[in-house]
Amino acid sequence: MVVTVRPQEAAGSPARESRRLETDTSSQPSQQLMDVESPSGYLTASPSPAPVSAPMSPLSPTLVEDIESPDEEVCLPAVLQLRSRLIGSNRQKHLVIEQGLVTRLLQIMIEPKFSNEFKIAVTHTLGSLAKGLDFHVKALIDHGACANARSEDTLYSDPSIIPHLIGLMPTSVNNQISVATILTSACKTREHQDILCQHGLVPSLFQLLGSPHSSVQLPGLQCLTILMFSNENATKLVSEMSLNDQTMIERIETFMDRHRKIDLQLEASKCIAYLYRCGVLDESDKRITFKALPCVVRMTKKEASLEHRIFAADTLSYLIEISAELQRIAAISNHLISSMASFLTMDLSQEDKRALRNISADSSSHQQLSMNRYHMAQIKQKVDQTTNLSRDMKRSAFKVYAALGANDEEIRKRIIDTEHLLPCLLECLEDSNLDLQTAAIGCLHSLSRSVQLLRTTFQDHPVWRPLMNILSLPTSTVGMLIVASSTLCNLLLEFSPSKEPILESGAISLLCQLTHKFEPALRLNGVWALMNLSFQADQMIKVQIIKSLESDQVFRLLADQDVNVVMKTLGLIRNILSNKNHIDNIMGMDDYGKQIMQAVVLILESDRIPEVKEQALCILGHIADGDAAKDFIMSNEDVLKKVISYMTHHSTRLRTAAVFCIQNLIWAKERGATERQQRLKQMGVDKILQQLFESDDATLAEK
């Protein structure tokens, strides 16, 4: 299979038509020209367009009839004529959609009797429609135009296509731009990245970065970032690549210089961020601390365009996400925290709101009605673009704040003092846009790590309400549920004022449901939150947890493959049995005491790590602190023998936990202590204690 790339008319012009809002502005000077589509697909200059008020020529009945014709010889000329009419005219595109011709065009695409030449003409026509307003794109999608349009599937289906495309790159500037753009769009998975690397894309992109044309350099950098994202193999290839005594990373670094175009600076900074996150560069590398980090921080300022500010903020949050040192540097760089605050206040202008309200389609004329709908679509697109930018600005700000506040309490305090932050955060937690909602949850999770904020600010703002709602909604993504439940864990800490209202809102049932989830992180967070909730809780709350979680689920959690889930489940049981006044009552509930003993034995007889078995021995120690509950241990000789055997275990933590249990059993001031001491002495415990008393471990000897 041979793939060719259509050359452009002007070297350096983009290989694909740029989408634009095509408005008719008759007030423009006649000598100013605007770019529109030409029939050949090139960008050309057109005369000044007609005024907005000019009437729109309807599609002739003959043209529509010919397009509906089953005869290709009749239909093809009509499609070509239609394609010519659509070029540069959003109004004509609107008429095509209004008259229902999209369905007919898509029918032609799937009809086997029509020739490839005919289908190519129809494809160009559909492509022209797709380059109109968002309203037109949505109409195509609603008609199913994208159902079989997965270009990446085509590229990777034939193993000869990728090498052929890469081989075309050196032949011309236009091919370099086009191929880099195609591969950027078609690189969707780790498998795609690996295939492109195997076919030598990295050296070819190195050549593009050495081009004197910025129109080539930018697609080269964009393709490189897609190739390197979370891919250690690709970043390793980049780090090892050199040409003419210059490494590829050094060449990338040159694009972050201030005299370069902003797009190049930002894309190069993103490359450096990806190299760092894949372990190629250290956090102290000067290319990060003196180039990439200052660059993206600087580009978040109001002087940059909205798109550039969003791009810079997204790159920044990814760059500093896992490094406390980079977070510290960023927080004191160029008033970053206050710069991000301006991201939260962008909204529709009054002019946009007024224009949207004033649109009316009351005219009885069908043509006028169509015109009004067309203008409404134009204004709605502008409003939608502003709304989407506003959402993206907030999303980016929340991600930066989340990254900045991940580790440092002082930074969190500075963030929480940001004007409008918490009201905006609460509003976005209930937004219909999942990306914005997810970013807001992430920001709240980062801030919820602050003990001071849990005790003060979050008491005045009920942030837990939208979190509970998110955890209850079936539309919430797994990622949202994980971060929301992690945040709820923090809000349920003992000193948090939010704990009581969360409990009253049905948290126990909701958290128990999380422990049944397939995703280990959700099971972990569910148990973890229950553990926090049970800490120093009233007996009524503990009993409610026991009844809601049920014994069968406790055993499933203790058998979980994720050791963290097992640890938190044991921690939950420890908290439930942590109050001496509660232990006897809870162990005496139905068969709960027997089931707890079975769970402990299950852990002690398993091959779990010492940290897990330590928790099981501590549970026995808590049971031994009860009055009647002691009998669950003293009446079970197998359990006693297991505890005694762990007193001589090679692990210090297990020996200490076993001694803790024995100590509670033989406590002299409690009823029946003499009998218990005598029995344990018969089992040789006194001799083991004497040996441990002489141990070099001071803590163990003290016990």
Side-chain angles (χ1 to χ4, degrees), residues 326-379:
L326 291 180
Q327 291 158 14
R328 185 191 64 79
I329 295 172
I332 59 175
S333 298
N334 212 347
H335 307 287
L336 175 64
I337 292 178
S338 58
S339 294
M340 299 315 301
S342 65
F343 279 50
L344 304 176
T345 54
M346 179 188 169
D347 201 354
L348 292 178
S349 68
Q350 292 301 318
E351 181 182 348
D352 289 335
K353 292 178 180 177
R354 194 181 306 113
L356 195 61
R357 284 196 302 266
N358 291 339
I359 292 174
S360 172
D362 295 334
S363 174
S364 58
S365 165
H366 180 272
Q367 181 174 330
Q368 186 63 37
L369 177 62
S370 182
M371 280 289 293
N372 285 338
R373 287 178 181 172
Y374 163 66
H375 291 308
M376 182 172 65
Q378 282 190 310
I379 296 175

Side-chain angles (χ1 to χ4, degrees), residues 143-178:
H143 281 83
C146 298
N148 298 306
R150 292 178 56 85
S151 60
E152 62 267 22
D153 290 344
T154 304
L155 285 178
Y156 298 102
S157 62
D158 186 333
S160 66
I161 295 178
I162 297 297
H164 179 70
L165 282 173
I166 295 174
L168 290 173
M169 293 173 78
T171 59
S172 73
V173 167
N174 291 312
N175 280 1
Q176 290 174 331
I177 297 169
S178 300

Side-chain angles (χ1 to χ4, degrees), residues 427-448:
E427 179 185 340
C428 294
L429 284 171
E430 300 182 276
D431 197 275
S432 59
N433 184 281
L434 295 184
D435 289 338
L436 176 57
Q437 200 176 20
T438 302
I441 300 169
C443 181
L444 180 60
H445 177 241
S446 181
L447 295 175
S448 71

